[in-house]
Amino acid sequence: MDLKTASAIRRLRLVSAPEAVSFLLLLVCSVLKRTTDFNAVPVMGMVHGVLFILYVIFWLDAWNRTKWSAKTGIWYFVLSVLPTGGFFAERRLKREAEDAVIASRARKEGIVNA
């Protein structure tokens, strides 16, 4: 895995958990808006919107660089629209990055011929 691909995965991973948190907070704010006088939906909506747009941009970049299959690429997008999906995406991306580092080191040391 080259440096640009690793960076693309890292960026997607770093924005996935905050995007999931903002989604959950937006849902809580929506409920509070309906049940109390507290209305933070405009603020949380903007925060979540910015994080979601960043997630989509980073997702497209990572998909383009990693050459994921259609199934994998679409799965990461589906995780972005589920309330807790960003947490699962972050964990899976972390595992994928660690596996790529291990494979890269193995190729560098001549253990694997790939």
Side-chain angles (χ1 to χ4, degrees), residues 66-95:
T66 58
K67 307 297 186 220
W68 286 325
S69 67
K71 179 181 175 184
T72 302
I74 291 170
W75 177 245
Y76 281 120
F77 182 78
V78 168
L79 287 175
S80 75
V81 296
L82 297 175
T84 58
F87 300 120
F88 295 107
E90 193 275 334
R91 188 178 330 155
R92 189 169 169 187
L93 287 165
K94 181 179 180 183
R95 193 174 324 126

Side-chain angles (χ1 to χ4, degrees), residues 41-62:
V41 172
V43 174
M44 278 312 302
M46 184 178 66
V47 169
H48 174 66
V50 168
L51 288 171
F52 181 74
I53 289 169
L54 283 174
Y55 184 95
V56 170
I57 290 169
F58 295 157
W59 165 74
L60 287 170
D61 184 40

Side-chain angles (χ1 to χ4, degrees), residues 13-49:
R13 191 177 143 229
L14 288 176
V15 79
S16 63
E19 190 271 336
V21 169
S22 72
F23 194 0
L24 292 173
L25 287 174
L26 180 60
L27 292 175
V28 169
C29 288
S30 296
V31 170
L32 289 175
K33 178 183 175 185
R34 305 277 189 259
T35 59
T36 66
D37 291 333
F38 183 74
N39 185 11
V41 172
V43 174
M44 278 312 302
M46 184 178 66
V47 169
H48 174 66

